[in-house]
């Protein structure tokens, strides 16, 4: 190795060392200042408070209600809100407050698992496709284009209908729904991660890592990926609200989990015949859906404002 080459390698190592150490420092600083940044963004703060209340209610459901969400009591059907039943009872005498809590617990779990599945498949797919480029990227993206060309709603309907034809019920039915929603989300994540990797891989720290002999997988997943995670987090947060709407819509159409399992969409559909005599039994599930979607959207918009330097400067 010549003296010039040695000097060049030393410069690259100097660039690479701060990149790795700086990245860890940035993560620590981000975690330490997360609450401070959330307080600066009114949108993110409101969304965060709403999500804390939502998750707290989902976790504490068995302790904050004593009613069975499935057990019917026709003697108390269509009761208005009272001290005994905080939100009243539905057409079968079941406590609406209890069904909302258990239905929200299931709905949020499905949304979180579906988005996590989409991220766990789409991020590595997009990162590796964008990093290697060439024919690998061309073939990988044509497959993604084919998935994006297929309407997502038709894919959900196809998978859910097949699950019902095959007599898949209970937890297995929810697993099928998680797979369908996550797989439909995967192409969007793959495209977003690929686009950010194409810009990131031209930077000096990536060149430095190649120069010192780091493997391609190590560079792509251990160094580039942490630097592109911000837009992916924002996208996933907003996507959670969309997934909740899809699950509720499928249940409303009768393609979700069959009764008597608590479900906001199916409860809303069942309440249509009582809109004039007991409108509250339709209002409460609808308000629960609106609240949840709004919470995720507000928090996602706030995160975008915090994580995007251009918006932060404004």
């Amino acid at each position: 190795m010549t003296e010039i080459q040695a000097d060049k390698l030393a410069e690259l190592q100097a660039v690479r060392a701060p990149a790795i150490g700086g990245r860890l420092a940035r993560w620590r600083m981000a975690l330490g200042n997360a609450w401070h940044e959330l307080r600066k963004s009114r949108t993110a703060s409101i969304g965060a408070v709403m999500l804390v209340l939502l998750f707290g209610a989902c976790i504490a459901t068995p302790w904050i209600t004593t009613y069975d969400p499935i057990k019917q009591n026709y003697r108390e059907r269509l009761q208005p809100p009272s001290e005994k039943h905080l939100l009243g009872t539905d057409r079968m005498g079941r406590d609406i407050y209890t069904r909302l809590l258990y239905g929200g617990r299931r709905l949020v779990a499905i949304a979180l698992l579906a988005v996590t599945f989409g991220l766990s498949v789409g991020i590595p797919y997009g990162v590796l496709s964008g990093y290697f480029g060439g024919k690998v990227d061309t073939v990988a993206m044509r497959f993604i284009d084919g998935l994006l060309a297929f309407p997502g709603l038709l894919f959900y309907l196809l998978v859910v209908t097949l699950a019902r034809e095959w007599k898949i019920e209970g937890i297995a039915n929810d697993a099928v729904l998680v797979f369908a929603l996550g797989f439909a989300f995967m192409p969007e994540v793959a495209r977003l991660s690929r686009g950010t990797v194409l810009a990131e891989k031209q930077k000096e720290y990536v060149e430095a890592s190649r120069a010192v002999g780091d493997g391609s997988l190590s560079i792509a997943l251990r160094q580039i990926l942490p630097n592109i995670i911000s837009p992916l987090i924002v996208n996933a947060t907003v996507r959670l609200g969309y997934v909740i709407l899809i699950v509720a819509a499928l249940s409303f159409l009768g393609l979700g989990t069959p009764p008597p399992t608590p479900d906001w969409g199916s409860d809303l559909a069942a309440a249509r015949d009582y809109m004039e005599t007991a409108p509250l039994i339709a209002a409460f599930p609808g308000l629960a859906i609106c609240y949840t979607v709004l919470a995720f959207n507000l928090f996602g918009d706030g995160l975008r404002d915090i994580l995007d330097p251009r918006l932060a400067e404004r």
Side-chain angles (χ1 to χ4, degrees):
M1 180 182 294
T2 65
E3 184 176 348
I4 296 177
Q5 290 174 328
D7 292 341
K8 180 63 176 176
L9 180 59
E11 291 177 4
L12 291 174
Q13 288 176 327
V15 170
R16 177 177 177 271
I20 298 175
R23 185 176 70 243
L24 295 175
R26 285 197 303 272
W27 277 100
R28 287 195 295 266
M29 184 179 297
L31 291 174
N33 296 334
W35 177 243
H36 176 68
E37 294 296 332
L38 285 175
R39 290 179 61 187
K40 288 170 59 178
S41 172
R42 182 175 299 177
T43 303
S45 299
I46 295 173
V49 171
M50 293 175 70
L51 287 178
V52 168
L53 294 176
L54 174 66
F55 287 122
C58 290
I59 294 171
T61 293
W63 295 279
I64 59 179
T65 181
T66 57
Y67 289 100
D68 188 330
I70 297 176
K71 185 178 180 180
Q72 303 174 8
N73 184 0
Y74 285 97
R75 293 180 179 179
E76 297 185 352
R77 63 191 303 268
L78 300 178
Q79 293 277 330
S82 62
E83 184 177 350
K84 184 178 181 181
H85 300 285
L86 293 179
L87 302 181
T89 59
D90 64 5
R91 61 196 177 93
M92 294 183 178
R94 298 170 300 196
D95 186 68
I96 295 177
Y97 172 70
T98 301
R99 287 187 64 81
L100 286 180
L101 290 175
Y102 279 97
R105 203 180 193 193
R106 172 184 166 273
L107 188 59
V108 171
I110 289 176
L112 289 173
L113 290 173
V115 171
T116 301
F117 175 71
L119 290 173
S120 62
V121 177
I123 290 178
Y125 189 99
V127 168
L128 296 177
S129 174
Y131 180 78
F132 287 106
K135 293 182 178 179
V136 173
D137 184 45
T138 301
V139 173
M141 286 300 106
R142 295 300 74 77
F143 174 68
I144 293 298
D145 290 340
L147 294 178
L148 289 172
F150 193 83
L153 184 58
L154 289 181
F155 180 74
Y156 306 142
L157 293 175
L158 174 64
V159 173
V160 172
T161 303
L162 288 176
R164 299 192 73 172
E165 288 293 327
W166 295 337
K167 309 295 183 183
I168 299 176
E169 299 178 354
I171 297 178
N173 182 79
D174 290 346
V176 170
L177 192 58
V178 167
F179 168 78
L181 295 168
F183 189 76
F185 177 45
M186 185 272 289
E188 180 183 340
V189 176
R191 272 220 169 272
L192 178 60
S193 56
R194 171 188 176 268
T196 51
V197 166
L198 289 177
E200 196 74 18
K201 72 177 185 178
Q202 306 298 331
K203 295 186 177 179
E204 287 186 345
Y205 75 90
V206 177
E207 181 185 353
S209 298
R210 293 197 195 101
V212 298
D214 285 350
S216 297
L217 286 176
S218 176
I219 296 173
L221 299 179
R222 296 182 60 187
Q223 299 191 44
I224 295 180
L225 179 57
N227 288 308
I228 66 168
I229 203 70
S230 296
L232 297 174
I233 292 175
V234 174
N235 182 262
T237 305
V238 176
R239 183 74 180 190
L240 282 166
Y242 177 74
V243 169
I244 286 173
L245 276 179
I246 291 295
V247 177
L250 291 173
S251 298
F252 184 84
L253 295 173
L255 296 173
T257 302
T261 303
D263 188 282
W264 293 348
S266 61
D267 286 351
L268 186 60
R272 287 178 297 176
D273 297 333
Y274 301 88
M275 291 292 292
E276 294 184 2
T277 57
L280 289 181
I281 66 174
F284 289 129
L287 290 174
I289 295 171
C290 292
Y291 175 92
T292 306
V293 174
L294 180 63
F296 282 115
N297 286 345
L298 287 177
F299 188 66
D301 289 344
L303 280 182
R304 183 194 59 192
D305 296 341
I306 292 171
L307 298 175
D308 191 329
R310 293 169 297 180
L311 294 175
E313 290 176 0
R314 295 179 190 175

